[in-house]
Amino acid sequence: MTDSEWTAARIPDLAGRTFVVTGANSGLGLATTRHLARHGAHVVLAVRDEARGRRAVAGLSDAQPGVSLEVRSLDLADLDSVAEFAARLHADGVPVDVLVNNAGVMAPPRALSPQGHEMQFAGNHLGHFALTGLLLNLLQAGRDPRVVTVSSIGHHGGRIHFDDLTGARDYAPVKYYDQSKFANVLFGLELDRRLRAAGSPIRSLLAHPGISATNLQSTGPTGLIRVGGALVKRFFAQDAEIGVLSQLRAATAPGVEGGQFYGPDGWKELRGHPTVVRPDPAAEDPDTARRLWDLSEDLTGIRYAIAASA
């Protein structure tokens, strides 16, 4: 069977395994949760709005009675919330086999997180960086442990604005969204390098959904960006049930390798079934990745218990 034929039907039996999915109450996160639970996994829905999370669980349970789900509060843009979420998982003895860093915000007006970071960089990158570091020891003990970080085709052409990280001088919503998605790829690849150097069983993988129809295009942007997003969603986007396959394959398929990046196999990676794709060459630069890693440790206060890559 070829890559183009990979579908959710190929997800193996996940009974006895626990997945944490951020942003699990809607869009790609909800689709990810549904497929994981349908194949026997216990899924922790890590959501900012617990009421919406409970409604999502009710809907999933009605559609398939007996699925194993739980809702936990997590605001990735608030590092205190990230620390509290991780501490509760540890205290409650919840095992973690796979972490799916899925949640994201796209192109909102400029705003700062409680810790003073630009909101997209805070929620899309720093929160996931901190969460992964805080759960690393649980993952280390997991069964076929993986970290799947969901990026975007927007990472192409993105860069880290080290001299204006919060956008105080020159904020543009899409530019800073691309920065956060570029950071996701730098992080996922550098995490892979460090895990390999440490001999860890954890695999770090990346995924992107191409252009998929979710609420991401409408809940963050305003003005003309929102109008443009709606047009793209209507005329070009593929169904989320196809877009989600990239992260599902990275999270569940046997034989995947750390450092692989899964995206659609169609033209310009906009649509299609999941296959291994190449990151933007700039995102493969280890020097930039190490610089971002060091900065992320400083901004979050999270120090990973793995050595720097060579």
Side-chain angles (χ1 to χ4, degrees):
M1 188 173 286
T2 65
D3 277 356
S4 63
E5 295 171 324
W6 200 96
T7 70
R10 295 178 66 179
I11 296 173
D13 180 17
L14 303 175
R17 302 184 67 206
T18 298
F19 290 67
V20 173
V21 180
T22 66
N25 61 278
S26 65
L28 297 175
L30 179 60
T32 298
T33 298
R34 180 171 60 255
H35 286 294
L36 295 175
R38 183 177 293 163
H39 286 83
H42 175 70
V43 186
V44 177
L45 292 83
V47 300
R48 186 171 55 184
D49 186 329
E50 283 192 77
R52 291 184 64 194
R54 287 192 293 272
R55 287 196 294 271
V57 165
L60 293 170
S61 299
D62 287 345
Q64 184 151 0
V67 290
S68 182
L69 305 165
E70 65 174 294
V71 177
R72 291 182 179 245
S73 176
L74 171 64
D75 181 354
L76 283 158
D78 183 348
L79 293 171
D80 291 337
S81 175
V82 175
E84 291 168 5
F85 174 87
R88 288 196 302 272
L89 283 184
H90 282 87
D92 295 344
V94 178
V96 180
D97 298 298
V98 179
L99 170 62
V100 183
N101 289 326
N102 163 82
V105 60
M106 179 181 176
R110 183 175 182 266
L112 300 180
S113 73
Q115 288 77 33
H117 309 304
E118 188 274 318
M119 193 63 76
Q120 297 183 89
F121 190 73
N124 296 355
H125 168 62
L126 288 177
H128 284 129
F129 178 92
L131 179 64
T132 304
L134 290 167
L135 299 184
L136 205 64
N137 61 334
L138 296 181
L139 287 159
Q140 187 76 17
R143 194 172 107 204
D144 189 14
R146 308 181 193 188
V147 176
V148 178
T149 301
V150 181
S151 183
S152 163
I153 55 173
H155 88 277
H156 289 286
R159 69 180 182 88
I160 307 300
H161 304 283
F162 289 106
D163 59 343
D164 187 22
L165 203 60
T166 67
R169 295 199 304 272
D170 188 27
Y171 180 77
V174 174
K175 180 171 76 171
Y176 276 74
Y177 173 73
D178 292 348
Q179 170 180 254
S180 70
K181 296 287 100 179
F182 185 68
N184 288 155
V185 180
L186 288 169
F187 165 63
L189 294 179
E190 179 65 10
L191 179 60
D192 171 64
R193 287 188 283 265
R194 293 180 183 230
L195 291 170
R196 286 176 183 269
S200 172
I202 304 169
R203 283 177 279 182
S204 171
L205 298 106
L206 290 152
H208 82 79
I211 296 181
S212 297
T214 71
N215 61 358
L216 191 64
Q217 296 96 342
S218 57
T219 56
T222 59
L224 289 176
I225 298 175
R226 184 169 186 167
V227 172
L231 291 173
V232 169
K233 180 177 179 179
R234 179 175 180 181
F235 293 108
F236 299 102
Q238 63 183 350
D239 190 274
E241 285 298 311
I242 302 298
V244 76
L245 295 178
S246 293
Q247 60 206 65
L248 285 170
R249 184 172 184 179
T252 68
V256 301
E257 298 179 8
Q260 286 182 327
F261 192 173
Y262 283 89
D265 60 1
W267 183 73
K268 298 291 186 181
E269 301 172 21
L270 300 180
R271 304 165 65 90
H273 287 253
T275 190
V276 176
V277 299
R278 286 293 303 274
D280 190 274
E284 296 181 293
D285 177 28
D287 292 333
T288 304
R290 283 192 291 268
R291 184 180 180 189
L292 176 65
W293 187 283
D294 291 343
L295 176 64
S296 301
E297 287 194 334
D298 290 342
L299 294 178
T300 63
I302 303 301
R303 299 290 189 271
Y304 279 58
I306 48 177
S309 60

